[in-house]
Amino acid sequence: MELAVFYFFAFLALGSAVFILLTKNLMYAAFALFLSLVGVAGLFVLSGADFLAITQLMVYVGGILVLIIFGIMLTRTPDKTDDSQSANRILLNSRRRFWGLTLSISLFLVLIATITQATFRLSGMPIKSRSTIKTLGVELMTSHLLPFEIAGILLLVALIGAAYLALNRSPS
Amino acid sequence: MIQPPAIPEIIQLIPLKSYLILSTALFVIGIIGVLTRRNAIVIFMSVELMLNSVNLLLIAFSSYRSDPTGQVFVFFIMAVAAAEVAVGLAIIVMIYRNTRTIDINFLKKLKG
């Protein structure tokens, strides 16, 4: 079972990475990068790094991917006109209705089957937590305190620099 | 002194070699993307893939050794990657404003 899950997430990550290489559509590449990052996050969970998986989802999917999509939209060459006021359209077709519906409904059925079979530990039953948050926090705040502070300053400098770089300095 | 967590039973079912092969494949795909694609944003995505494969390898090794230091390193790599993407995309947007293209083959003014 665990091996099957491993191979599923590995296939997700690798397949989406290959798709990024092959596709011509930048938006598809961005979505494939999303799938690849999700696959790697699943592998993080499988290796017992739950906090880093959540961080991966928040930083990469929530931050970096949105930034990349903004970059795609800002640098899209307009089809014909050079007019900077015209919309930069990203062409996407929505034709794969059958596969989308089939995949979503089968995922729903799988989830429902899992939920009905699971035994939830409710009140009164002890839970043995195996999260890595505590270890990671203690490590960050004791033996790796200086790199932690430097990383914070680096992020601050980089974000201010990025905002300054991307400032629109044209007189109009 | 805190006790490092024991190896999760779940990871013992998956050989470390699988993680190694997967990370290597992801890294090489990233290298191919950087070397062959001409769109600057796709090159960026490939760099992200390479960083991710390194993260995966670090986490696999840290789990096998029951050593949380690898996970701390992954944390720092994520912070640096966020900074890198912010600055890099700002630079790409500026390049686009000045040259109206992000095809890297057109950026050869410094070529001797």
Side-chain angles (χ1 to χ4, degrees), chain A residues 14-83:
Chain A
L14 274 185
S16 319
V18 173
F19 186 79
I20 294 176
L21 277 188
L22 298 180
T23 182
K24 293 278 175 206
N25 192 324
L26 268 183
M27 276 318 258
Y28 283 171
F31 292 140
L33 183 66
F34 163 73
L35 275 184
S36 190
L37 295 178
V38 168
V40 174
L43 289 176
F44 281 8
V45 175
L46 209 56
S47 342
D50 47 357
F51 176 68
L52 280 172
I54 300 295
T55 316
Q56 158 105 347
L57 283 185
M58 278 174 53
V59 172
Y60 274 96
V61 178
I64 290 180
L65 201 64
V66 171
L67 262 182
I68 285 180
I69 290 178
F70 263 110
I72 292 173
M73 289 177 179
L74 284 176
T75 58
R76 170 86 182 165
T77 316
D79 285 335
K80 289 166 197 159
T81 168
D82 253 351
D83 182 14

Side-chain angles (χ1 to χ4, degrees), chain B:
Chain B
M1 191 63 206
I2 45 160
Q3 287 292 324
I7 303 180
E9 304 94 27
I10 199 163
I11 199 169
Q12 291 169 344
L13 298 168
I14 304 160
L16 183 60
K17 209 164 256 181
S18 312
Y19 279 103
L20 277 169
I21 293 172
L22 174 65
S23 311
T24 314
L26 270 181
F27 195 82
V28 170
I29 288 174
I31 290 178
I32 296 173
V34 169
L35 290 183
T36 60
R37 297 299 297 259
R38 292 183 315 170
N39 192 307
I41 290 184
V42 179
I43 291 177
F44 241 75
M45 293 179 186
S46 306
V47 172
E48 292 305 314
L49 272 184
M50 288 157 74
L51 284 168
N52 249 286
S53 72
V54 174
N55 284 354
L56 183 61
L57 199 60
L58 274 173
I59 282 190
F61 271 118
S62 99
S63 289
Y64 268 90
R65 287 182 51 83
S66 293
D67 187 358
T69 315
Q71 302 197 7
V72 176
F73 283 161
V74 171
F75 200 77
F76 290 137
I77 291 179
M78 278 182 181
V80 173
E84 172 242 340
V85 162
V87 175
L89 276 176
I91 291 174
I92 289 179
V93 169
M94 282 314 288
I95 288 174
Y96 177 75
R97 282 215 191 108
N98 287 322
T99 65
R100 309 307 288 176
T101 180
I102 51 172
D103 190 330
I104 56 167
N105 282 0
F106 288 100
L107 304 174
K108 53 184 179 188
K109 275 188 186 162
L110 288 179
K111 200 172 176 185

Side-chain angles (χ1 to χ4, degrees), chain A residues 43-124:
Chain A
L43 289 176
F44 281 8
V45 175
L46 209 56
S47 342
D50 47 357
F51 176 68
L52 280 172
I54 300 295
T55 316
Q56 158 105 347
L57 283 185
M58 278 174 53
V59 172
Y60 274 96
V61 178
I64 290 180
L65 201 64
V66 171
L67 262 182
I68 285 180
I69 290 178
F70 263 110
I72 292 173
M73 289 177 179
L74 284 176
T75 58
R76 170 86 182 165
T77 316
D79 285 335
K80 289 166 197 159
T81 168
D82 253 351
D83 182 14
S84 63
Q85 297 297 313
S86 67
N88 290 344
R89 288 205 174 76
I90 311 264
L91 295 177
L92 287 178
N93 48 1
S94 65
R95 272 180 304 176
R96 300 172 181 91
R97 192 169 289 170
F98 171 73
W99 285 111
L101 273 178
T102 316
L103 209 66
S104 327
I105 290 174
S106 50
L107 179 65
F108 177 70
L109 291 180
V110 167
L111 286 179
I112 287 294
T114 315
I115 289 171
T116 47
Q117 286 174 9
T119 49
F120 289 104
R121 301 195 171 211
L122 296 178
S123 61

